[in-house]
Amino acid sequence: MTQESVGRILVVDDEERIRQAVRRVLTDAGYEVFSASDGVEGLAQVEQHVPDLVLVDLMMPVMDGMEFLEQARRRYPDLTSVVITGFATVEKAVEAMKQGADDFLAKPFKPNDLRLVVGRARARAVALQNLSIEKSRNRALVAAMGNGVLVVDQAGETALANPGLARLLGSDPESLQGMPCREVLPWPEVCGCLELAMQGVLPVSEEGRRQVCLGQGDKAIHLQVNCAPFHDSRGRAVGAVAVFDDVTAWSRLDELKNQFVSTVAHEIVSPLAAVLGQMQNLGQGLLGPIEERQKAVIDRARERLQSIANLSKDLLDLSKIEAGAMGKASRLDLAPLLREAVDMLEDRAREKEQGLTLEIQGELPAVEGVAQELLRMVVNLVSNAVKYTPAGGKIGVSARAEGGGVRLVVADNGLGIPPSEQPAIFQRFYRVKNAETRHIPGTGLGLAIVSRVVESHGGRLEVASTPGQGSVFTVHLPSAPE
Ligand code: ADP
């Protein structure tokens, strides 16, 4: 079996004896060795074999070692080289290394010296090659990406703009090279984000993400931008990269979906309310006497219609909240809003003989929010507590100032939620289905609305629940800026 080559080496030396000795030692060590007796022949061999490493004598006829190295480097700039020299020309070897040779070997040398120097140079050649492969792979990757990519250096100047970004900006990648970020991008907030990334002070909640828009109206392109720093080997940020993702199609789809849902829901809500009203009149005998059996059928039909009406209302509200159409944000005192929500549900709690209490501890700081959204949030939490707590149970709503905001708690001693279901209850249409909840009507949208409202108010939502013992929903809302 022939040994596989561990590297290609070219020896350029006018002394036949040296060439042969080097060839023997290095071939035994597993290298593939080529040789040339002067610089001109050496250059031809470089062209033909593209060696990983050249060993070159400095003093040669026709073309000396220095001239050879210079010309070979012009063709392959990262060619690794070892200079072979006699005792008398150590200065020349030093000179050659200053000009980029990687090591030198003084004649006469022992096979072991040769193996050592070549091994070292070969390791360096491999490292350089890996580096250049990685560089080329990254360049190809960035150039082939459909997304826009901008790399800025410490001074905030463009180190690289890929064709994807150039296409978005309507220019060519080369013309952007070296230009300040603020002249390349029409969005100062993205440049600001890149600067923050480099300073290592990106707010964790934003994680360097920005939404920007190019153009207007139907032609607008919506972009999601992610900014992140990159570091040197000592961990210092030496630049930052921004990746631009065209999310126009998603934004349009989202808009369309919201429009569709709100139109459909809106078209359903009013006629349903009218039908429900008429059926109530029918059921109460206001339009003439009805039998027990007829009343039972009307009541069942009303129940079904009521659940469609609830679903339409929830869908409509959710799409309004997502579109920011529930109302304008203002500085609010939560206390009256909590009283209103509790008042709205008092009758239902009384019907189930539940104790429903409200406790506001001390003064609450004002919050900045949309009153209708916050009211909906509290009503949903309290109505769930009423719904999922058996008759005779207890529901407590409390609020107090905490950590520069308000901490609102809705607690009940009802059915509780199995731990495995807790992560899913805030998803749209998710309902816990078991023997106890099966007959309780709902849309699965109540907590999705709560979570959306909390999120849009910059708050935090937590649930703690034990099946058979009850649930505690806690909302933290930040206080309004002074
Ligand atoms: P639904 O319309 O089903 O009430 P929600 O989104 O409001 O929808 O709630 C999702 C699920 O979470 C409910 O189906 C219910 O099983 C569970 N859940 C919500 N609140 C409570 C609570 N206070 N106690 C027990 N289970 C609850």
Side-chain angles (χ1 to χ4, degrees):
M1 207 171 77
T2 55
Q3 199 183 353
E4 210 177 297
S5 159
V6 293
R8 297 146 80 86
I9 299 185
L10 172 65
V11 191
V12 190
D13 198 311
D14 57 337
E15 279 185 69
E16 166 85 35
R17 191 176 49 87
I18 298 272
R19 290 202 302 271
Q20 273 181 1
V22 169
R23 182 185 282 273
R24 202 177 49 247
V25 173
L26 294 182
T27 307
D28 284 352
Y31 294 97
E32 199 175 342
V33 183
F34 311 96
S35 57
S37 57
D38 61 55
V40 174
E41 200 188 320
L43 286 175
Q45 296 271 30
V46 167
E47 236 4 271
Q48 190 181 346
H49 301 293
V50 193
D52 302 304
L53 168 66
V54 291
L55 294 174
V56 57
D57 185 14
L58 282 184
M59 309 275 268
M60 288 184 297
V62 188
M63 180 191 281
D64 70 9
M66 294 283 264
E67 173 73 20
F68 161 80
L69 277 181
E70 206 182 308
Q71 293 210 24
R73 277 258 160 67
R74 236 176 267 151
R75 181 80 175 87
Y76 298 103
D78 58 359
L79 184 68
T80 308
S81 55
V82 172
V83 161
I84 305 174
T85 173
F87 274 128
T89 54
V90 167
E91 289 79 13
K92 279 230 155 192
V94 172
E95 181 62 19
M97 287 188 64
K98 272 190 196 155
Q99 293 194 10
D102 298 277
D103 211 339
F104 78 94
L105 200 58
K107 287 182 200 171
F109 49 81
K110 296 203 177 82
N112 224 14
D113 298 333
L114 175 65
R115 278 192 289 266
L116 211 78
V117 169
V118 164
R120 231 170 20 218
R122 161 88 185 127
R124 194 180 129 81
V126 169
L128 275 175
Q129 229 159 55
N130 287 344
L131 213 67
S132 96
I133 290 171
E134 193 179 324
K135 223 163 114 184
S136 149
R137 187 174 51 211
N138 288 346
R139 279 195 179 270
L141 193 83
V142 168
M145 269 168 86
N147 292 356
V149 177
L150 178 75
V151 181
V152 293
D153 60 19
Q154 253 168 330
E157 284 172 1
T158 305
L160 185 132
N162 80 336
L165 180 68
R167 237 187 342 266
L168 276 173
L169 300 174
S171 44
D172 76 292
E174 275 80 44
S175 70
L176 302 175
Q177 196 77 18
M179 274 176 53
C181 174
R182 288 181 190 270
E183 283 176 32
V184 171
L185 299 180
W187 312 284
E189 66 267 42
V190 176
C191 298
C193 185
L194 285 167
E195 282 155 19
L196 289 178
M198 267 187 277
Q199 289 157 20
V201 289
L202 270 181
V204 177
S205 57
E206 295 177 27
E207 288 166 4
R209 222 171 288 142
R210 297 286 185 276
Q211 294 271 359
V212 291
C213 204
L214 198 64
Q216 283 180 339
D218 281 355
K219 298 235 163 63
I221 298 175
H222 298 267
L223 298 166
Q224 165 139 323
V225 194
N226 284 298
C227 304
F230 54 92
H231 304 94
D232 66 9
S233 59
R234 295 196 187 137
R236 289 174 297 209
V238 286
V241 51
V243 178
F244 297 78
D245 206 358
D246 185 344
V247 291
T248 312
W250 291 113
S251 307
R252 296 238 165 93
L253 221 61
D254 218 38
E255 232 169 75
L256 274 177
K257 184 206 75 186
N258 273 346
Q259 265 172 21
F260 174 78
V261 170
S262 85
T263 311
V264 171
H266 196 258
E267 291 303 317
I268 290 173
V269 168
S270 324
L272 261 186
V275 174
L276 273 167
Q278 285 157 2
M279 290 188 76
Q280 189 172 5
N281 292 343
L282 258 181
Q284 287 174 348
L286 298 179
L287 306 172
I290 53 165
E291 296 171 17
E292 264 320 291
R293 266 178 50 218
Q294 288 169 327
K295 182 170 171 5
V297 171
I298 291 171
D299 284 349
R300 266 209 311 281
R302 265 184 61 203
E303 261 171 38
R304 289 294 177 96
L305 281 176
Q306 188 60 55
S307 58
I308 301 177
N310 292 344
L311 179 64
S312 315
K313 173 93 175 68
D314 281 356
L315 279 173
L316 196 58
D317 283 356
L318 191 56
S319 71
K320 271 192 192 162
I321 291 168
E322 287 189 338
M326 247 336 200
K328 279 212 159 55
S330 60
R331 212 179 154 80
L332 291 170
D333 178 5
L334 276 182
L337 197 138
L338 293 174
R339 270 183 218 109
E340 188 180 344
V342 169
D343 284 352
M344 283 166 75
L345 290 152
E346 217 150 42
D347 285 351
R348 266 203 256 165
R350 199 172 306 119
E351 276 167 28
K352 287 181 83 175
E353 295 172 347
Q354 292 167 331
L356 170 59
T357 55
L358 169 65
E359 187 191 1
I360 295 172
Q361 300 163 7
E363 281 268 304
L364 299 182
V367 299
E368 170 106 357
V370 181
Q372 281 310 310
E373 289 188 12
L374 291 170
L375 181 66
R376 185 72 150 98
M377 172 191 88
V378 185
V379 167
N380 283 7
L381 287 174
V382 181
S383 75
N384 273 352
V386 172
K387 246 181 5 180
Y388 298 106
T389 299
K394 281 196 172 61
I395 295 138
V397 182
S398 64
R400 63 176 152 91
E402 191 190 90
V406 177
R407 179 179 198 260
L408 164 71
V409 176
V410 179
D412 64 59
N413 62 352
L415 303 179
I417 305 161
S420 59
E421 311 251 15
Q422 288 175 21
I425 54 174
F426 300 102
Q427 290 169 14
R428 290 166 195 213
F429 301 111
Y430 191 90
R431 306 203 66 214
V432 177
K433 290 204 180 90
N434 56 35
E436 288 168 307
T437 59
R438 185 159 302 131
H439 302 293
I440 303 176
T443 62
L445 286 173
L447 288 181
I449 292 176
V450 170
S451 132
R452 193 65 217 221
V453 172
V454 174
E455 187 191 322
S456 68
H457 285 76
R460 231 169 51 241
L461 173 62
E462 286 153 21
V463 59
S465 183
T466 311
Q469 290 186 20
S471 311
V472 181
F473 286 84
T474 307
V475 177
H476 300 261
L477 290 174
S479 55
E482 283 308 318

